[in-house]
Amino acid sequence: MFLLSTISVQGQVLRFGPKVGLQATRTIFDETASKERYSSFPSLAFHAGAMVNIKASELFSLQTELLYHQTRKHIENKAAGDWQKETYEYLSLPLLLRFSYPWKHNELYVNAGPSVSYWLAGKGKVFHSEVFEFELDILEYEMAFDGNEDTYRYIIEEPNRLQLGLDIGAGAILPLGPNYLMVDLRYTFGHTNMAKGAENYLPLSFYEEDLRHTQQVLSLSVAYLINFDFYTMRTKGKSSGRKTE
């Protein structure tokens, strides 16, 4: 609230533009039994969207983004050798407080803040002994939240579709003509489990998936920022009020 009130009085510079990047996701289980049963591996995905940065001063600014992004889950059973891979799709809205430090003609920064994500959809594939009953090597399926069962739909009964996280990162803003190029490195600590419990419809009758886990994400992105200096725009072309001889 303090930052927003400061921006309303002093904010003169607005930067906005498209943002794209890659991210590595790792699944972290809450339950001890699942931690002991499965090995979790990082998996690459992507994100894309737009961002806005509002400078309150030379040192502080507020940044928000609207991103479509994917996270991926890759786990393997340590004893049985079966594995599962899933892809989740989200819309995310981070809100970050940024501290910047000028360095030559560039700008270095650190930022942190909460992010809210909405789980849109998901899909996956699994290798398990039961899969052979379907005369398949790998069983592929879609995730569903509506409860309408189908052979290759995975029904999630109690999903946490609204998820919270904490973003912490650093980066650099580089001049690019009249505008800027931003390079951003960020770590997102997921704080919300995918669902409230374990699910046992996959459609493998003896396979139980534990969705009591979070997604921890390391991302690297670039953004092209269009720069608007409102103070310069308001004063451009105005007379200084002095007479010249």
Side-chain angles (χ1 to χ4, degrees):
M1 291 177 64
F2 172 76
L3 179 65
L4 289 174
S5 64
T6 304
I7 287 175
S8 65
V9 176
Q10 300 182 18
Q12 303 290 344
V13 179
L14 175 70
R15 295 172 179 171
F16 68 92
K19 177 182 178 182
V20 296
L22 295 175
Q23 54 194 44
T25 309
R26 187 167 180 264
T27 298
I28 306 296
F29 287 100
D30 276 1
E31 300 298 313
T32 302
S34 294
K35 292 179 181 178
E36 295 175 349
R37 182 182 305 165
Y38 297 109
S39 297
S40 178
F41 301 94
S43 298
L44 284 177
F46 77 97
H47 60 266
M51 56 156 285
V52 177
N53 182 273
I54 307 172
K55 293 183 71 68
S57 67
E58 288 298 319
L59 298 180
F60 293 100
S61 63
L62 182 70
Q63 179 165 309
T64 187
E65 304 166 355
L66 181 61
L67 301 174
Y68 167 83
H69 73 96
Q70 294 182 347
T71 62
R72 289 182 176 165
K73 170 184 177 181
H74 178 190
I75 60 172
E76 294 185 8
N77 190 309
K78 297 177 182 178
D82 50 272
W83 54 261
Q84 184 181 26
K85 297 179 181 181
E86 292 182 336
T87 300
Y88 310 115
E89 300 177 34
Y90 293 94
L91 277 181
S92 293
L93 184 70
L95 184 63
L96 307 173
L97 174 62
R98 171 173 294 176
F99 175 79
S100 300
Y101 181 79
W103 180 65
K104 297 182 179 179
H105 298 293
N106 307 311
E107 180 181 324
L108 306 179
Y109 67 82
V110 294
N111 48 211
S115 63
V116 179
S117 299
Y118 185 73
W119 186 6
L120 298 172
K123 61 182 180 180
K125 54 186 177 181
V126 62
F127 173 81
H128 188 267
S129 58
E130 281 189 75
V131 168
F132 300 116
E133 298 178 11
F134 292 81
E135 298 182 353
L136 299 170
D137 294 328
I138 297 173
L139 180 65
E140 298 185 6
Y141 56 89
E142 295 182 358
M143 295 181 170
F145 312 106
D146 55 16
N148 296 323
E149 293 191 5
D150 186 83
T151 303
Y152 298 109
R153 299 183 85 215
Y154 173 23
I155 307 301
I156 302 176
E157 296 180 353
E158 296 182 286
N160 291 321
R161 300 191 69 181
L162 193 64
Q163 302 181 11
L164 300 178
L166 176 64
D167 288 7
I168 298 176
I173 298 177
L174 315 173
L176 192 64
N179 300 310
Y180 295 89
L181 179 70
M182 185 184 78
V183 181
D184 186 81
L185 180 66
R186 189 178 304 177
Y187 193 87
T188 300
F189 297 88
H191 285 280
T192 306
N193 287 340
M194 301 299 294
K196 296 178 173 61
E199 305 286 342
N200 55 13
Y201 178 80
L202 237 181
L204 305 176
S205 57
F206 299 105
Y207 189 93
E208 181 180 83
E209 181 184 5
D210 189 355
L211 288 174
R212 292 166 294 186
H213 64 73
T214 59
Q215 301 285 326
Q216 311 300 312
V217 181
L218 178 65
S219 61
L220 178 64
S221 59
V222 295
Y224 179 75
L225 303 180
I226 300 171
N227 189 70
F228 275 92
D229 188 330
F230 290 102
Y231 177 79
T232 301
M233 292 175 64
R234 287 198 303 265
T235 58
K236 186 176 181 180
K238 289 186 178 181
S239 173
S240 64
R242 295 182 179 180
K243 296 182 178 180
T244 59
E245 296 181 0

